[in-house]
Amino acid sequence: MSSLAVADKVLLESVLGMSSGYVLDFSNASFANFFRDLSIDIYDAERFPGFGDSKANRLRALWKSGSDEEVATSLRALLDYIEAKLLTGLLSHEINDQSIERVRAIADGLSGANPDLVPSVAASFTTEATVTDNKIQIEIHQDIYDHINRFLATEDYFHAVEESYKVVREALREKTGSEKATDAFKPENYSALFGHLPATDAEKDFFDGVKYLNMAIQFLRNEKSHTLASPLEPNLAIHYISLASLAYDLITRYVSEELTAQIEELIAAERRSYSATRFYRAFEGGRWLNGLALPNELSSPSVRRVLKNKWLREADFTRSYDQSNIALMRLEVVADALTAADVDELLELPTVDSNGYSQEAGTVLFLEYLRAKYPHTISSEAEERIAADQ
């Protein structure tokens, strides 16, 4: 499965003109031939299952089930095609240079390069919810913000709102196969959205509430998409974006037992593949992560936060060296969700087994990785721990 994020897919859908089932100006035959030249059988329903047979749906299936390298290769080839069409004046819809560069950055990111991404720009809300009189500063979902920050930076609130709704729509399609809320929230999709059928009347009311919220987003987006872009009052725009953020959060926060078990087994299997000596060489600097193919669902900050909380609760450094290694490996997978308080909590856990032997192993390498990649997670206590091991 590729690690393409939901917000990336929203951008790609727009650039490639996929809203009506097409991809650029390809016919079915030229589309198949284009991917055949890349050694990808885009119409192989076993290799790329789901979605449907239209060109847009075949590409969505590739994004979901293909490897990062396959997706990156195809995006670069599509960019070459777009640029050739632009030079000849034969492209059927307008694509600007900024969009082309953003797609190139996505492809580079998938293949492990380090592109110069569009810088993040501070928006007019903070990273935590606070209330002062009738003013609320609220954190919006990271996936939403990552996609719309370029519009907020230029005060293009109309498109910031419209694009935030597109992220919600894409998440529904990812989970249920349908972007229409009326279809996506049918009872047969409850397991994909919430993990189970409603167990009580109160829970059914909650599920219905999430459905109606997403329906409201859908109708509000329809109004925006059928009107000319026009200035939108910033305060109203933030209200709209907050609705989109809430709707998105409520349909992406569920992490199934199956997905959790799959990720945990991948990590445990990776640990088993190393001898003790080789493991610590690979664990240093997080090198072990480079070859790990994790499910696409982990691209969601909501999912990473849920798993972080679970794995912090389950961390146990009193069982064995291997179990201590696995606990730290799990947390490296979701390291961007950790806080300094989380790390300090981890350092306070007991490390001695019932026989009086310490079973802690790998903690300093873990802290050094965090210090290099996420320095905000390292407190003075963690620095002291690193220094004590030098």
Side-chain angles (χ1 to χ4, degrees):
M1 300 175 74
S2 82
S3 55
L4 202 60
V6 170
D8 294 337
K9 293 175 185 176
V10 173
L11 173 68
L12 294 173
E13 294 242 350
S14 176
V15 171
L16 299 174
M18 295 168 58
S19 61
S20 58
Y22 292 92
V23 175
L24 298 172
D25 58 356
F26 285 106
S27 66
N28 288 344
S30 64
F31 191 64
N33 290 333
F34 177 88
F35 280 93
R36 190 174 296 116
D37 289 343
L38 303 176
S39 300
I40 298 172
D41 183 357
I42 196 68
Y43 285 100
D44 184 347
E46 291 187 4
R47 176 76 174 80
F48 309 115
F51 293 98
D53 294 329
S54 72
K55 291 179 285 294
N57 279 332
R58 287 293 78 217
L59 191 52
R60 290 172 187 132
L62 169 66
W63 293 345
K64 184 175 180 65
S65 301
S67 67
D68 280 347
E69 192 55 42
E70 286 173 323
V71 175
T73 298
S74 65
L75 290 179
R76 291 193 182 99
L78 286 166
L79 284 177
D80 290 342
Y81 181 85
I82 288 170
E83 289 176 331
K85 288 283 187 174
L86 286 171
L87 285 173
T88 58
L90 296 176
L91 196 66
S92 57
H93 68 286
E94 184 178 345
I95 302 174
N96 60 38
D97 291 342
Q98 184 185 19
S99 295
I100 289 175
E101 288 309 308
R102 286 179 67 84
V103 174
R104 199 180 307 281
I106 291 169
D108 288 344
L110 289 171
S111 58
N114 292 304
D116 294 327
L117 297 175
V118 176
S120 177
V121 180
S124 57
F125 23 76
T126 64
T127 56
E128 62 179 15
T130 58
V131 180
T132 305
D133 297 327
N134 68 330
K135 295 180 177 61
I136 300 176
Q137 293 179 300
I138 188 169
E139 177 185 359
I140 63 170
H141 198 286
Q142 190 66 45
D143 288 353
I144 300 279
Y145 178 70
D146 286 345
H147 185 63
I148 68 171
N149 63 11
R150 65 190 188 278
F151 300 111
L152 294 173
T154 58
E155 299 185 356
D156 182 358
Y157 295 110
F158 182 94
H159 287 103
V161 171
E162 184 181 26
E163 292 297 315
S164 70
Y165 291 167
K166 287 182 181 178
V167 177
V168 179
R169 181 189 69 181
E170 183 61 30
L172 278 181
R173 178 161 47 204
E174 277 282 300
K175 283 186 164 287
T176 70
S178 175
E179 65 185 47
K180 293 177 61 177
T182 48
D183 294 333
F185 283 87
K186 290 179 179 178
E188 56 264 33
N189 290 328
Y190 281 169
S191 292
L193 292 165
F194 305 112
H196 57 277
L197 294 173
T200 65
D201 288 342
E203 194 168 49
K204 183 180 184 304
D205 288 343
F206 173 73
F207 288 4
D208 285 343
V210 178
K211 176 178 74 173
Y212 294 133
L213 174 60
N214 278 269
M215 288 175 65
I217 295 294
Q218 177 181 311
F219 289 124
L220 287 169
R221 182 195 173 266
N222 287 345
E223 183 268 334
K224 291 285 179 290
S225 64
H226 290 97
T227 57
L228 296 175
S230 57
L232 189 61
E233 195 270 316
N235 187 61
L236 181 60
I238 298 304
H239 280 76
Y240 281 144
I241 292 167
S242 298
L243 279 179
S245 179
L246 174 61
Y248 183 82
D249 183 62
L250 292 174
I251 62 174
T252 59
R253 62 172 48 199
Y254 167 68
V255 183
S256 70
E257 293 181 2
E258 292 79 7
L259 176 62
T260 302
Q262 178 190 359
I263 296 170
E264 291 178 349
E265 176 53 31
L266 283 171
I267 295 170
E270 185 71 13
R271 176 61 188 88
R272 291 195 298 268
S273 71
Y274 295 104
S275 66
T277 303
R278 287 183 61 244
F279 169 73
Y280 292 109
R281 287 201 296 266
F283 195 55
E284 185 176 1
R287 286 193 292 271
W288 72 280
L289 289 164
N290 295 336
L292 195 64
L294 292 164
N296 187 50
E297 287 87 345
L298 263 176
S299 64
S300 166
S302 293
V303 171
R304 294 198 299 275
R305 282 197 294 268
V306 170
L307 290 175
K308 178 205 76 170
N309 291 334
K310 176 181 186 293
W311 291 338
L312 277 174
R313 288 195 307 270
E314 295 177 355
D316 187 347
F317 298 141
T318 67
R319 295 173 60 189
S320 68
Y321 289 160
D322 286 354
Q323 289 301 318
S324 294
N325 293 161
I326 289 171
L328 295 171
M329 291 168 75
R330 289 176 176 180
L331 292 172
E332 278 199 2
V333 167
V334 293
D336 65 321
L338 290 170
T339 66
D342 293 331
V343 175
D344 286 349
E345 177 185 332
L346 202 66
L347 294 178
E348 293 173 1
L349 292 177
T351 60
V352 177
D353 66 15
S354 57
N355 296 314
Y357 297 105
S358 174
Q359 299 298 334
E360 180 187 16
T363 300
V364 172
L365 290 176
F366 170 73
L367 294 175
E368 289 175 339
Y369 169 78
L370 291 181
R371 183 171 64 180
K373 294 280 289 185
Y374 308 101
H376 65 278
T377 65
I378 299 299
S379 67
S380 56
E381 181 181 349
E383 286 285 7
E384 290 172 6
R385 180 63 183 276
I386 294 172
D389 193 68
Q390 302 304 313

